[in-house]
Coordinates of all heavy atoms in Angstrom, one line a residue:
R350 N 18.7 12.2 20.9 CA 17.6 11.3 21.1 C 16.6 11.9 22.1 O 15.9 11.3 22.9 CB 18.1 10.0 21.7 CG 19.2 9.3 21.0 CD 18.8 8.9 19.5 NE 20.0 8.4 18.8 CZ 20.8 9.2 18.1 NH1 20.6 10.5 18.0 NH2 21.8 8.6 17.4
Y356 N 10.4 9.1 21.7 CA 11.1 9.7 22.8 C 10.3 10.9 23.4 O 10.0 11.8 22.6 CB 12.5 10.2 22.4 CG 13.5 9.1 22.0 CD1 13.7 8.9 20.7 CD2 14.1 8.4 23.0 CE1 14.7 7.9 20.3 CE2 15.0 7.4 22.6 CZ 15.3 7.2 21.3 OH 16.2 6.2 20.9
R360 N 15.2 13.0 27.7 CA 16.7 12.8 27.6 C 17.3 14.2 27.3 O 17.4 14.6 26.2 CB 17.0 11.8 26.5 CG 18.3 11.2 26.7 CD 18.2 9.7 26.3 NE 19.5 9.1 26.5 CZ 20.2 8.6 25.5 NH1 19.7 8.6 24.3 NH2 21.4 8.1 25.7
G364 N 23.7 11.7 24.2 CA 24.2 10.4 24.5 C 25.6 10.3 23.8 O 25.7 10.7 22.6
R366 N 28.0 8.1 22.7 CA 28.4 7.3 21.4 C 27.5 7.8 20.3 O 27.9 7.9 19.1 CB 28.3 5.8 21.6 CG 27.0 5.2 21.6 CD 27.0 3.7 21.4 NE 27.4 3.0 22.6 CZ 26.5 2.5 23.4 NH1 25.2 2.6 23.2 NH2 26.9 1.8 24.5
D367 N 26.2 8.0 20.6 CA 25.2 8.3 19.5 C 25.7 9.6 18.9 O 25.7 9.8 17.6 CB 23.8 8.5 20.1 CG 23.2 7.1 20.5 OD1 23.8 6.1 20.1 OD2 22.3 7.1 21.3
Q370 N 28.7 9.7 16.7 CA 28.5 9.1 15.4 C 27.5 10.0 14.6 O 27.7 10.1 13.4 CB 27.8 7.7 15.6 CG 28.8 6.7 16.1 CD 28.1 5.4 16.4 OE1 27.9 4.5 15.5 NE2 27.7 5.2 17.7
R433 N 30.9 3.1 29.9 CA 30.8 2.1 28.8 C 32.1 2.0 28.2 O 32.9 3.0 28.1 CB 29.8 2.5 27.8 CG 28.4 2.7 28.3 CD 27.5 3.2 27.2 NE 26.2 3.6 27.7 CZ 25.7 4.8 27.3 NH1 26.4 5.6 26.6 NH2 24.5 5.1 27.7
D435 N 32.8 1.7 25.0 CA 33.0 2.1 23.6 C 32.8 3.6 23.4 O 33.3 4.1 22.4 CB 32.0 1.4 22.7 CG 30.6 1.9 23.0 OD1 30.2 2.0 24.1 OD2 29.9 2.2 22.0
D436 N 32.2 4.3 24.4 CA 31.8 5.7 24.1 C 33.0 6.5 23.5 O 32.9 7.1 22.5 CB 31.3 6.4 25.4 CG 29.9 6.1 25.7 OD1 29.1 5.8 24.7 OD2 29.4 6.2 26.8
W439 N 34.5 6.0 19.7 CA 34.0 6.6 18.5 C 34.7 7.9 18.1 O 34.6 8.3 17.0 CB 32.5 6.8 18.7 CG 31.7 5.5 18.9 CD1 31.3 5.0 20.1 CD2 31.4 4.6 17.9 NE1 30.7 3.8 19.9 CE2 30.8 3.5 18.6 CE3 31.6 4.5 16.5 CZ2 30.3 2.4 17.9 CZ3 31.1 3.4 15.8 CH2 30.5 2.3 16.5
D498 N 29.0 -2.3 25.5 CA 29.8 -1.8 24.3 C 28.7 -1.2 23.5 O 27.6 -0.8 24.0 CB 30.6 -2.9 23.6 CG 29.8 -4.1 23.1 OD1 28.5 -3.9 23.0 OD2 30.4 -5.1 22.7
W499 N 28.8 -1.1 22.2 CA 27.7 -0.4 21.4 C 26.4 -1.0 21.7 O 25.3 -0.3 21.7 CB 28.0 -0.6 19.9 CG 26.9 -0.1 19.1 CD1 26.7 1.1 18.6 CD2 25.8 -1.0 18.6 NE1 25.5 1.2 17.9 CE2 25.0 -0.1 17.8 CE3 25.5 -2.3 18.7 CZ2 23.8 -0.6 17.2 CZ3 24.4 -2.8 18.1 CH2 23.5 -1.9 17.4
N500 N 26.3 -2.3 22.1 CA 25.1 -2.9 22.3 C 24.6 -2.7 23.8 O 25.2 -3.3 24.7 CB 25.2 -4.4 22.0 CG 23.9 -5.2 22.0 OD1 23.0 -4.9 22.8 ND2 23.7 -6.1 21.1
D501 N 23.6 -1.9 23.9 CA 23.1 -1.5 25.3 C 22.6 -2.7 26.1 O 22.4 -2.6 27.3 CB 21.9 -0.5 25.2 CG 22.4 0.8 24.8 OD1 23.6 1.2 25.2 OD2 21.7 1.6 24.2
T502 N 22.4 -3.8 25.4 CA 21.7 -4.9 26.1 C 22.7 -6.1 26.4 O 22.3 -7.2 26.8 CB 20.5 -5.5 25.3 OG1 21.0 -6.1 24.1 CG2 19.5 -4.4 25.0
L503 N 24.0 -5.9 26.1 CA 25.0 -6.9 26.4 C 25.8 -6.3 27.5 O 26.7 -5.5 27.3 CB 25.8 -7.2 25.1 CG 26.8 -8.4 25.2 CD1 26.0 -9.7 25.4 CD2 27.6 -8.5 24.0
I620 N 20.6 -8.6 13.9 CA 21.8 -8.2 14.7 C 22.5 -9.4 15.2 O 23.7 -9.5 15.4 CB 21.3 -7.3 15.9 CG1 22.5 -6.7 16.6 CG2 20.4 -8.0 16.8 CD1 22.1 -5.6 17.6
K643 N 14.2 -5.4 18.5 CA 15.4 -4.7 18.9 C 16.7 -5.6 18.9 O 16.9 -6.3 18.0 CB 15.1 -4.0 20.2 CG 14.2 -2.8 20.1 CD 14.0 -2.0 21.3 CE 15.2 -1.3 21.8 NZ 15.1 0.2 21.8
E644 N 17.4 -5.5 20.0 CA 18.7 -6.3 20.1 C 18.5 -7.8 20.2 O 19.5 -8.5 20.2 CB 19.5 -5.8 21.2 CG 20.2 -4.4 21.1 CD 19.3 -3.3 21.7 OE1 18.1 -3.5 21.8 OE2 19.9 -2.2 22.0
F649 N 18.6 -4.6 13.5 CA 19.0 -3.2 14.0 C 19.5 -2.5 12.8 O 20.5 -2.9 12.1 CB 20.1 -3.4 15.1 CG 19.7 -2.6 16.3 CD1 18.8 -3.0 17.2 CD2 20.2 -1.3 16.4 CE1 18.5 -2.2 18.3 CE2 19.8 -0.5 17.4 CZ 19.0 -1.0 18.4
H651 N 21.0 0.5 12.4 CA 22.3 1.3 12.6 C 23.5 0.4 12.0 O 24.3 0.9 11.2 CB 22.5 1.6 14.0 CG 23.6 2.5 14.4 ND1 23.7 3.0 15.7 CD2 24.7 2.9 13.7 CE1 24.8 3.7 15.7 NE2 25.4 3.6 14.6
W655 N 27.1 0.0 8.6 CA 28.5 -0.6 8.7 C 28.6 -1.8 7.7 O 29.7 -2.1 7.1 CB 28.7 -1.1 10.1 CG 28.6 0.0 11.1 CD1 28.9 1.4 10.9 CD2 28.2 -0.1 12.5 NE1 28.6 2.1 12.1 CE2 28.2 1.2 13.1 CE3 27.8 -1.2 13.3 CZ2 27.9 1.5 14.4 CZ3 27.5 -0.9 14.7 CH2 27.5 0.4 15.2
Q697 N 15.1 2.8 14.0 CA 16.2 2.2 14.8 C 16.2 0.7 14.5 O 17.3 0.1 14.4 CB 15.9 2.4 16.3 CG 17.0 1.8 17.2 CD 16.4 1.6 18.6 OE1 15.5 0.8 18.8 NE2 17.1 2.2 19.5
G717 N 21.0 6.3 15.1 CA 22.3 6.3 14.5 C 22.3 5.7 13.1 O 23.3 5.8 12.4
Ligands
IFM901 O1 24.1 1.7 20.4 C1 22.9 1.8 21.0 C2 22.5 3.2 21.0 O2 23.5 4.0 21.7 C3 21.2 3.5 21.7 N1 20.2 2.6 21.0 C4 20.5 1.2 21.0 C5 21.9 1.0 20.3 C6 22.2 -0.5 20.4 O3 22.0 -1.0 21.6

Side-chain angles (χ1 to χ4, degrees):
R350 306 299 175 269
Y356 291 103
R360 203 142 179 242
R366 80 163 77 93
D367 291 341
Q370 290 173 86
R433 302 177 188 128
D435 70 315
D436 277 337
W439 297 101
D498 60 14
W499 170 88
N500 190 323
D501 284 332
T502 65
L503 188 63
I620 190 171
K643 287 189 67 119
E644 286 95 337
F649 228 85
H651 187 169
W655 302 330
Q697 185 201 58

